[in-house]
Amino acid sequence: MSRIGKAPVIFDNTVKIDVTPANEVVIKGAKSSLKIGMQPQISAKVDGNKVVLTRKDDSKESRALHGLYRALVQNAVTGVTKGFTKGLELQGVGYRANVAGKKLELSLGFSHPVIFDIPEGIEIKVDKQTAISITGASRELVGQVAAKIRSFRPPEPYLGKGVRYAGENIRRKAGKSAGK
């Protein structure tokens, strides 16, 4: 039995969880609601203030999906109660960011500003022009948006300029040594 899959997902009274006949788990919280569609090998059952996931058989695929869907349900419960946050830092001369409505405008050393449309369910805040905070209920979407913004100018190893995750360590290279 999967160690992760057999553990129940415990939630409090602020969260409402329903299992639809189409094998979808709908998690509603104070801030938002999330929906997780599951494969037919895995079924969920709400029992009081916990969700128990079971699998139909012991095939390799079912065992893998058992732990996966339990983790996805747990992340959704955490997301609708507390939310997830990811931080980005801009390093470089003249690199800055600002939010205007539903758009994030980045100056990353290109000849033009990079405009990023903020997706639904994500909130972006910019502190002191070089620190970006991405917040949302879906852990997957928060990470995806952070990775997309980082991909506009990934940190380079010689000077360390670029967009990096908060607290990320960049391995620096020495570069060319001048004459012998």
Side-chain angles (χ1 to χ4, degrees), residues 60-129:
K60 190 170 185 171
E61 185 182 7
S62 295
R63 290 191 318 241
L65 292 173
H66 193 202
L68 168 75
Y69 283 120
R70 192 265 177 205
L72 290 176
V73 171
Q74 177 66 57
N75 285 342
V77 168
T78 305
V80 298
T81 54
K82 300 177 195 163
F84 291 100
T85 303
K86 200 129 181 133
L88 294 173
E89 298 170 349
L90 300 173
Q91 294 258 278
V93 177
Y95 287 18
R96 57 187 164 340
N98 66 330
V99 177
K102 292 293 282 176
K103 295 189 184 295
L104 174 69
E105 188 175 325
L106 300 162
S107 298
L108 299 174
F110 297 120
S111 61
H112 58 282
V114 177
I115 308 292
F116 178 73
D117 292 325
I118 301 172
E120 198 64 41
I122 294 292
E123 186 180 317
I124 295 181
K125 292 183 201 149
V126 176
D127 308 324
K128 61 185 184 207
Q129 292 187 334

Side-chain angles (χ1 to χ4, degrees), residues 2 15 26 40 49-50 68 90 92 98 100-101 109 113 124 146 155:
S2 166
V15 179
V26 180
N49 69 335
K50 59 185 173 185
L68 168 75
L90 300 173
N98 66 330
I124 295 181

